[in-house]
Amino acid sequence: MIPAPFSYRRADSVAEALDLASEFGDDAKFLAGGHSLLPLMKLRLALPEVLIDLGPVRELSYIRAEDGHIAIGALTRHHDLEHSEVMARSVPLLAHAAGQVGDPQVRHRGTIGGSLAHSDPASDLPATVLALDATLVARGPAGSREIPAAEFFQGLFETVLEPDELLTEIRVPVPGPDAAGWSFQKFTKRAIDWAIVGGRGAGPRGRPGEHGGHAGAGGRGGARAGRRGSARRSRRARRGRHEPGRRHQRQSGLS
């Protein structure tokens, strides 16, 4: 339960964090709340030679209502999401899901970006942003890029983030006036446990015979997302994949 030796670097801005990531390459990992990465390091399942601490980077901690969506900084803590009036009014599903993460200690330290970049299908937030059709923003040496949530997660502990990229923002569409509601379901042995199986859904009101909306599912068996179209449209679904032997190869981003 003792991690391997590593060096510690502290970043005070996004620019400094990206410079450090470029300097150390694959040997470095970003550290946000630490509730995902540090347990793996103690088990020696993750062996970064350099930790880049993002704690002082306050520019990535915010919740803002913008044109048609809610912009959330990647270092926004679960507790802040849970108790945000903006989230409760505009995206209550995500506010509720943040309140289901771990226990109060975890929610006061853990961040939304760390949870998403960790890409554990049994955690609460990946399936939630899939159900909400969110867009994730990553920044690297070549600039920023927008990634649909359905394309961000590649499998167990895998995302499309490159080692020198940092997840900076999550953009969640504000449901329109035809939104009917949402549901969050999670089955666990104890309230603070990882989900054995879980599901989240959000969708609009429709005419008789039509069904629309988004759904996300997670749990120890994997994660998947899909959109169920109306009777006039074909069904579309995206499924995560688990490739043996690649369990911890792509944990860049935040942890």
Side-chain angles (χ1 to χ4, degrees), residues 103-249:
D103 54 26
Q105 180 179 358
V106 171
R107 293 194 291 274
H108 276 82
R109 290 294 305 167
T111 66
I112 181 173
S115 177
L116 299 180
H118 187 55
S119 189
D120 187 338
S123 60
D124 296 299
L125 299 187
T128 303
V129 299
L130 286 168
L132 291 170
D133 201 24
T135 298
L136 287 73
V137 181
R139 193 184 307 177
S144 296
R145 62 177 176 135
E146 299 181 3
I147 310 165
E151 299 175 8
F152 182 80
F153 304 104
Q154 296 294 292
L156 182 64
F157 300 143
E158 288 186 89
T159 71
V160 297
L161 289 173
E162 297 296 337
D164 58 355
E165 283 187 313
L166 176 66
L167 179 60
T168 57
E169 186 174 272
I170 298 89
R171 298 173 182 169
V172 184
V174 175
D178 62 340
W182 54 270
S183 179
F184 177 101
Q185 303 295 330
K186 180 171 71 170
F187 176 74
T188 61
K189 290 184 178 180
R190 301 176 303 165
I192 65 172
D193 285 342
W194 299 102
I196 297 173
V197 64
R200 304 93 171 104
R205 296 184 178 91
R207 294 189 296 270
E210 291 188 340
H211 304 278
H214 294 82
R220 282 306 179 194
R224 64 178 181 269
R227 172 181 295 179
R228 187 177 179 185
S230 70
R232 300 186 183 93
R233 295 177 297 187
S234 62
R235 294 183 179 180
R236 295 184 299 170
R238 296 180 184 271
R239 294 181 180 273
R241 64 181 185 274
H242 177 195
E243 300 180 18
R246 301 185 64 187
R247 183 170 181 178
H248 299 291
Q249 289 182 1

Side-chain angles (χ1 to χ4, degrees), residues 25-102:
D26 291 341
D27 295 329
K29 297 291 184 187
F30 291 121
L31 176 68
H35 286 279
S36 300
L37 180 58
L38 295 182
L40 294 180
M41 291 176 62
K42 290 181 178 180
L43 294 171
R44 307 252 174 148
L45 295 175
L47 301 170
E49 295 184 10
V50 180
L51 282 186
I52 302 173
D53 186 0
L54 300 174
V57 186
R58 302 307 302 165
E59 63 190 277
L60 294 184
S61 179
Y62 57 83
I63 301 171
R64 296 195 295 253
E66 299 192 352
D67 186 19
H69 68 270
I70 303 299
I72 304 167
L75 292 181
T76 304
R77 303 194 188 281
H78 305 313
H79 175 270
D80 297 330
L81 291 171
E82 177 187 7
H83 295 282
S84 165
E85 293 184 5
V86 174
M87 298 299 299
R89 181 173 59 252
S90 301
V91 195
L93 171 56
L94 184 53
H96 176 81
Q100 305 304 306
V101 176

